[in-house]
Amino acid sequence: MRHYKSFVALGDSFTEGLNDPGPDGHYRGWADRVAERLAADDSSFRYANLAVRGKLLDQIVAEQVPLAVEMAPDLVSFCAGGNDLLRPGSDPDVMAKKLAGAVRDLRAGGADVLLFTGVDPRDTPLMRRLRGRFAIYYLHLRSIADLYGCRLVDQWSMQGLRDWRAWSPDRLHLNEDGHRLVAARVLDVLGVPFDDWRKDWPERTVDPRARRREDAQWLREHLVPWMARRLRGVSSGDGLSAKRPDLTPWQ
């Protein structure tokens, strides 16, 4: 196990921490949870989180990766592409080439790099139609991790994230329980003792009529506004800055 003295997290809403509320008004999320655990072993541990919700792969590569290279941390997490894959016409092959170039730059500085597959979208009503596109991209990520010696966090195999109890009502972002599971999986990949990331949820029975009502509510309150933003070319991250832009000691 490598002893990490600094960690920079790159990405979008997943890494920013939506929807895992923290005590200071900012979202917490799996990355903060990982940083807190790493800092427990080293009081001088430093952490930056450059992730901003709604960011596309090109934006993350152009805006966040150069900053991370300049910071020269021991560990970088790089999760990007999910927002792109939801857009019409996105090409996972082209995206993978863009990501590979960024990974090469990050690895050239000597940092360990964490890459992530996403969760299997087959249980999500609309996203399941894009399952093939997601799967191709995540296979590319596996290849990139092998080629450049990166550590891979495989969320596709995390059965605990297949349950809606790990997700917030918008069905796009993890809740507190989901972020805790991801943090545990990341730390397991890093070889750091922590909680078990395997989760067996208690059995529950959902009335089909109640499920249909929940689906209708989700369409009305979350999907329609999301589609409206896409049509207007508006991102949920417009005007927002990173919650932790500098590599500073963990508090």
Side-chain angles (χ1 to χ4, degrees):
M1 182 186 71
R2 180 175 177 181
H3 178 71
Y4 296 107
K5 298 181 69 66
S6 54
F7 170 35
V8 175
L10 312 179
D12 51 28
S13 57
F14 169 68
T15 304
E16 184 184 347
L18 276 69
N19 285 317
D20 179 11
D24 59 355
H26 292 290
Y27 288 112
R28 190 182 183 192
W30 68 264
D32 283 18
R33 293 172 182 273
V34 168
E36 182 177 30
R37 173 60 185 87
L38 296 177
D41 293 334
D42 186 343
S43 60
S44 65
F45 176 81
R46 296 176 299 148
Y47 169 54
N49 190 321
L50 308 183
V52 176
R53 68 195 75 171
K55 291 297 184 181
L56 301 173
L57 175 60
D58 283 351
Q59 294 173 310
I60 294 169
V61 170
E63 299 167 8
Q64 299 179 24
V65 170
L67 294 176
V69 170
E70 184 178 351
M71 291 177 182
D74 296 333
L75 177 67
V76 177
S77 68
F78 185 17
C79 185
N83 292 319
D84 300 73
L85 292 169
L86 291 172
R87 297 190 172 217
S90 61
D91 187 332
D93 298 326
V94 174
M95 292 169 56
K97 289 183 180 179
K98 173 72 73 171
L99 183 135
V103 168
R104 185 171 57 247
D105 292 342
L106 292 168
R107 288 289 288 144
D112 274 3
V113 175
L114 279 168
L115 297 179
F116 296 74
T117 73
V119 179
D120 186 348
R122 73 179 184 180
D123 300 319
T124 308
L126 294 179
M127 289 173 62
R128 71 165 64 102
R129 299 184 180 185
L130 304 175
R131 194 181 184 206
R133 182 187 296 177
F134 279 88
I136 290 171
Y137 184 61
Y138 297 149
L139 282 172
H140 279 307
L141 284 174
R142 287 183 171 276
S143 297
I144 292 168
D146 284 342
L147 287 169
Y148 294 102
C150 303
R151 298 176 183 267
L152 183 70
V153 180
D154 183 12
Q155 296 183 92
W156 193 282
S157 67
M158 293 181 67
Q159 297 301 304
L161 296 183
R162 294 275 307 279
D163 193 292
W164 286 121
R165 282 170 285 187
W167 296 81
S168 56
D170 66 10
R171 303 184 183 181
L172 289 173
H173 301 102
L174 297 170
N175 60 21
E176 178 181 353
D177 289 324
H179 279 285
R180 185 181 297 110
L181 291 175
V182 172
R185 185 63 187 270
V186 169
L187 289 164
D188 181 63
V189 169
L190 296 177
V192 179
F194 197 62
D195 298 335
D196 190 357
W197 57 266
R198 297 165 184 84
K199 173 74 174 181
D200 292 322
W201 294 93
E203 289 289 337
R204 68 169 181 170
T205 301
V206 180
D207 186 322
R209 290 172 297 180
R211 185 183 297 276
R212 287 193 292 271
R213 288 195 298 270
E214 290 175 358
D215 288 345
Q217 182 179 8
W218 173 71
L219 285 167
R220 182 176 61 255
E221 297 182 2
H222 299 287
L223 180 62
V224 171
W226 181 85
M227 294 180 65
R229 289 198 301 271
R230 297 286 80 76
L231 291 172
R232 298 197 309 270
V234 175
S235 169
S236 57
D238 287 348
L240 297 181
S241 56
K243 66 177 182 180
R244 196 179 176 98
D246 301 312
L247 189 60
T248 55
W250 173 261
Q251 299 296 328

